[in-house]
């Protein structure tokens, strides 16, 4: 945690979830009572097909809803894409950009991530910008250099603590059950904090830096208590309301 920063827990459903899983969104919304919402922001990012119904289900609750990606442009001839404005039009408030699965599957570069982050800001969405090194980069001792590059080229100057959240997700920890040690996470998050503060000043000091990669109910308390870890980006464990809420509950007593 970081003093004076309200944590944020986001669930990334990835390409999972059909109508028969909508009850998990409703259950999650019900579980985020006012007391919990006062301690931490909670956001679910279902696939685009469920976005509008998700915001309808979470209306009048404290659960926030986000998308998983957006196109850099507002509208136009981009078959299959969804703009940040369309996401905002569904009443969603957040959008993940630069997830490593998009960098790998769709060849997204830091330049693409920058444009998408700007698109989120243009549409009034909070961007959840993902950064993280691959296993090969980690083994080669290049993690910090990779993160510095992703932050410098993928995060625009207009970034602040209101319009952007950073999510550190080591690629080798995603869906693998492996996580860095709390000490390693502390070192990396401190490094990210320094880069943000150096580049953006006060807003960089106040921005939330989430950890993502195999966060589960069983390890959440340990991972989320690390210095400069201001919440989590949760994949697999966000699909079940019970598990996702158990992770969010880590913050209730804090
Ligand atoms: P897992 O929690 O399934 O490892 O996924 C992490 C992730 O990629 C969230 O964006």
């Amino acid at each position: 945690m970081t003093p004076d920063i309200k944590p944020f827990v986001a669930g990334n459903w990835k390409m999972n979830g059909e109508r028969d899983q909508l009850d998990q969104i409703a259950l999650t919304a019900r579980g985020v009572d006012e007391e919990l919402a006062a301690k931490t922001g909670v956001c679910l990012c279902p696939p685009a097909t469920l976005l509008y119904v998700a915001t309808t289900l979470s209306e009048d609750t404290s659960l926030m809803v986000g998308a998983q990606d957006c196109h850099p442009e507002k509208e136009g001839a981009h078959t299959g894409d969804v703009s940040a404005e369309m996401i905002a039009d569904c009443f969603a408030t957040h959008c993940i950009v630069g997830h490593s699965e998009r960098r790998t599957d769709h060849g997204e570069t830091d330049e693409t991530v920058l444009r998408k982050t700007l698109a989120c800001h243009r549409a009034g969405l909070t961007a959840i910008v993902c950064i993280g090194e691959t296993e090969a980069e980690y083994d080669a001792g290049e993690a910090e250099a990779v993160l510095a590059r992703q932050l410098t080229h993928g995060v625009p100057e207009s970034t602040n603590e209101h319009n952007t959240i950073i999510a550190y997700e080591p690629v080798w920890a995603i869906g693998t059950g492996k996580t860095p040690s709390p000490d390693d996470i502390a070192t990396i998050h401190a490094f990210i904090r320094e880069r943000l503060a150096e580049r953006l000043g006060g807003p960089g000091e106040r921005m939330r830096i989430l950890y993502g990669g195999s966060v589960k109910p069983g390890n959440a308390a340990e991972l989320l208590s690390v210095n400069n870890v201001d919440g989590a980006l949760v994949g697999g464990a966000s699909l079940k309301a019970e598990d996702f809420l158990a992770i969010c509950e880590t913050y209730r007593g804090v």
Side-chain angles (χ1 to χ4, degrees), residues 10-14 96 99-101 130 167 169 173-178 212-216 233-238:
N12 175 10
W13 275 23
K14 310 192 178 186
I96 298 170
H99 193 282
S100 60
E101 286 151 14
C130 300
E169 298 203 307
I174 295 177
T176 58
K178 290 193 273 186
S214 297
V215 178
K216 311 278 176 218
L233 182 54
V234 184
S238 69

Side-chain angles (χ1 to χ4, degrees), residues 59-233:
E59 207 180 339
D60 298 325
T61 77
S62 297
L63 176 68
M64 293 174 262
V65 175
Q68 298 174 12
D69 177 48
C70 67
H71 191 278
E73 286 166 36
K74 235 182 210 171
E75 60 193 6
H78 301 288
T79 303
D81 279 315
V82 173
S83 72
E85 280 73 9
M86 291 168 171
I87 292 163
D89 187 49
C90 288
F91 304 110
T93 50
H94 290 71
C95 181
I96 298 170
V97 296
H99 193 282
S100 60
E101 286 151 14
R102 293 210 58 89
R103 293 180 192 253
T104 306
D105 296 355
H106 299 273
E108 290 192 3
T109 61
D110 293 331
E111 155 77 16
T112 323
V113 177
L114 181 92
R115 293 180 64 216
K116 290 185 174 196
T117 304
L118 286 169
C120 290
H121 297 174
R122 183 187 67 216
L125 299 174
T126 298
I128 303 173
V129 180
C130 300
I131 58 172
E133 80 285 356
T134 63
E135 186 149 35
E137 289 163 341
Y138 176 80
D139 289 342
E142 291 168 359
E144 292 191 352
V146 169
L147 297 173
R149 190 204 71 220
Q150 291 174 335
L151 284 170
T152 304
H153 299 290
V155 175
E157 292 292 335
S158 54
T159 297
N160 62 41
E161 71 272 35
H162 306 295
N163 63 22
T164 306
I165 294 169
I166 301 294
Y168 168 58
E169 298 203 307
V171 179
W172 51 273
I174 295 177
T176 58
K178 290 193 273 186
T179 61
S181 69
D183 280 353
D184 285 349
I185 296 178
T187 304
I188 291 285
H189 277 237
F191 174 80
I192 295 169
R193 174 72 66 210
E194 278 165 30
R195 297 285 81 69
L196 290 171
E198 200 174 77
R199 173 110 184 282
L200 306 166
E205 279 163 26
R206 294 188 292 271
M207 277 173 71
R208 287 177 282 204
I209 308 172
L210 314 183
Y211 167 77
S214 297
V215 178
K216 311 278 176 218
N219 62 14
E222 184 180 34
L223 297 175
L224 299 183
S225 66
V226 172
N227 269 352
N228 283 307
V229 172
D230 309 310
L233 182 54

